[in-house]
Amino acid sequence: MKLTVVGGGSTYTPELIDGIARLRDTLPVTELVLTDPATDRLELIGALSRRILARQGHPGTVTTTADLDAAVDGADAVLLQLRVGGQAARQQDETWPLDCGCVGQETTGAGGLAKALRTVPVVLDIAERVRRANPDAWIIDFTNPVGIVTRALLRAGHKALGLCNVAIGLQRKFAALLGTDPADIHLDHVGLNHLTWETAVRTGGEDVLPGLLSTHGDTIAADLRLPRPLLDRLGVVPSYYLRYFYAHDEVVREMRTKPSRAAEVAGMERRLLALYADPALDEKPDLLSQRGGAYYSEGAVDLAAALLRGAGSRHQVVNTLNNGTLPFLPDDAVIEVQAAVGPKGATPLPVASVDPLFSGLMASVTTYEDLALEAALHGGRDRVFRALLAHPLIGQYEYADRLTDELIAHNREHLTWA
């Protein structure tokens, strides 16, 4: 089985390698190909990846190449984890929106749109090359903004699903609080990528969410950085990304007074790369857990195993087409829900009626994502403006106008139409 990782030079990659090594019975990878234009990082991480597999006695081979076509040739699955523009572009995404009093973040608001505009054309080019090399290969997208990128892939007819680690992270946290095995926890997870709510937490067929909130509400609220009374009033557990909506102004004040997350990550990456260069290192370092993407490897392995072998977990949280699952959204919207996953793809499980408080926001952000995709596919200042005006975190024409100009100015080298 051949698995190709596009963006293999990412500091995330050792997390993925560790999961492949530990879960070899679930996903028996024989050949792992890492591809990235950053050849210096690629060779460094490729060498560490080989040491990790060797330490755990995994027989698979790791090869590295900057030749994308060679990397995807014959691949059974291609995992996308790229960042167009690198951490420098992320730093911009997280700073210039603050000038208008809007959240600066890499996956939502104006910064999220900038990332989508940079990313979608690149991903579609990669996907076309995958299709030419092997039309049966699955594309698993971990590249943000996952919802918009996955929607672009599916609209173009690619065999693709989107993956996010939010649900698996919450599953693990809830299991630890309840003192049970994560495999025994089933989440009623509903929403869009980075805009989700856990409306039930089931174990043994029983919804234990009310008791979980009653007993552990303070801990959960602290993790989400949201007030405990808000969780009690909602009766659900929102994704931590909902803080950008539920506490927008508070978040903006914080962002204006401390280093950006991009700056923190850039510093962390420098330290990680120094660790990776040590030829004695043969396991993922503890520092990697602070990089983000916790449990990403387990989710990726589980999803690839289901798609390629019909193995792994039968039900998984993925990003896929709505197709009537949520009747208040268009069929071609990409939603993030529990789905039955197998070699034929993902079929969303039925979802209980969604509270209007949540469905209204989902509908609004879906409209933004549709306009964002149009801007990413066709370019043009007016399309960028319309997407920004539609976003619930912006919504004022003066801000949308100014942010449009800022977005184009900061991303001109990545926008062929600008």
Side-chain angles (χ1 to χ4, degrees):
M1 179 185 295
K2 178 178 178 179
L3 179 67
T4 297
V5 182
V6 179
S10 168
T11 53
Y12 270 134
T13 300
E15 164 71 25
L16 176 64
I17 304 302
D18 177 73
I20 289 172
R22 288 186 293 104
L23 303 171
R24 72 193 73 178
D25 293 336
T26 302
L27 187 69
V29 175
T30 55
E31 181 182 3
L32 182 67
V33 181
L34 308 180
T35 184
D36 201 298
T39 54
D40 52 343
R41 289 174 57 136
L42 184 62
E43 293 309 315
L44 190 69
I45 290 169
L48 173 59
S49 299
R50 295 184 191 99
R51 297 194 297 270
I52 291 173
L53 292 187
R55 175 190 174 102
Q56 301 195 35
H58 193 290
T61 63
V62 177
T63 58
T64 58
T65 179
D67 185 337
L68 177 64
D69 292 319
V72 302
D73 186 31
D76 296 289
V78 177
L79 188 116
L80 306 180
Q81 56 171 37
L82 59 147
R83 182 183 292 279
V84 180
Q87 293 298 331
R90 177 179 181 173
Q91 170 69 15
Q92 293 180 350
D93 294 343
E94 294 181 354
T95 51
W96 53 263
L98 296 174
D99 293 339
C100 287
C102 297
V103 159
Q105 211 276 330
E106 64 161 342
T107 64
T108 193
L113 178 60
K115 192 170 197 298
L117 297 185
R118 295 193 303 268
T119 304
V120 166
V122 174
V123 166
L124 289 178
D125 176 67
I126 293 169
E128 286 298 331
R129 293 159 80 170
V130 172
R131 181 153 53 189
R132 288 197 300 268
N134 182 8
D136 293 326
W138 277 100
I139 296 174
I140 298 173
D141 178 58
F142 195 70
T143 296
N144 282 320
V146 168
I148 296 172
V149 172
T150 303
R151 193 170 185 181
L153 288 166
L154 293 173
R155 181 181 287 189
H158 296 289
K159 290 180 62 177
L161 290 174
L163 177 66
C164 181
N165 69 321
V166 167
I168 192 171
L170 287 172
Q171 180 196 42
R172 299 308 195 265
K173 287 180 181 179
F174 295 158
L177 292 173
L178 294 169
T180 190
D181 191 310
D184 295 332
I185 298 292
H186 177 93
L187 302 178
D188 283 13
H189 178 101
V190 63
L192 313 177
N193 180 243
H194 290 185
L195 194 86
T196 54
W197 297 263
E198 312 308 321
T199 58
V201 178
R202 304 185 189 278
T203 180
E206 177 187 359
D207 180 12
V208 298
L209 178 57
L212 190 64
L213 286 173
S214 175
T215 305
H216 302 288
D218 289 341
T219 298
I220 296 170
D223 285 345
L224 299 174
R225 300 187 64 199
L226 287 170
R228 164 70 185 273
L230 175 63
L231 300 192
D232 292 337
R233 294 168 72 179
L234 295 178
V236 302
V237 177
S239 157
Y240 54 85
Y241 285 93
L242 264 299
R243 186 169 184 261
Y244 298 121
F245 294 82
Y246 292 160
H248 176 274
D249 292 354
E250 177 184 348
V251 172
V252 168
R253 288 193 294 271
E254 291 174 0
M255 288 180 167
R256 283 173 162 168
T257 57
K258 68 178 186 179
S260 68
R261 175 63 178 164
E264 293 176 356
V265 169
M268 199 176 304
E269 286 200 331
R270 288 191 291 271
R271 299 198 300 276
L272 284 169
L273 290 170
L275 291 172
Y276 294 169
D278 181 357
L281 183 69
D282 58 4
E283 59 184 342
K284 64 176 184 179
D286 292 339
L287 179 61
L288 186 54
S289 65
Q290 301 174 35
R291 171 67 178 82
Y295 309 112
Y296 149 56
S297 62
E298 295 179 27
V301 168
D302 211 20
L303 181 53
L307 293 172
L308 299 178
R309 305 178 63 227
S313 303
R314 183 183 170 206
H315 294 158
Q316 301 180 36
V317 172
V318 296
N319 285 262
T320 191
L321 289 175
N322 179 37
N323 281 340
T325 305
L326 301 177
F328 52 87
L329 297 182
D331 285 349
D332 67 346
V334 165
I335 60 175
E336 187 172 293
V337 293
Q338 288 276 3
V341 183
K344 293 184 178 180
T347 302
L349 302 181
V351 174
S353 178
V354 179
D355 188 317
L357 181 61
F358 313 140
S359 64
L361 184 54
M362 289 167 61
S364 179
V365 173
T366 295
T367 298
Y368 152 75
E369 290 189 345
D370 187 50
L371 294 170
L373 183 53
E374 289 302 306
L377 293 174
H378 305 296
R381 188 186 187 283
D382 285 349
R383 291 189 180 94
V384 174
F385 170 80
R386 284 167 59 81
L388 290 170
L389 188 62
H391 200 292
L393 296 184
I394 301 168
Q396 297 185 54
Y397 77 88
E398 290 185 357
Y399 289 171
D401 240 349
R402 182 175 171 186
L403 290 168
T404 297
D405 290 336
E406 292 283 343
L407 186 155
I408 294 172
H410 284 91
N411 292 275
R412 197 176 300 277
E413 66 181 295
H414 301 292
L415 306 176
T416 58
W417 51 267

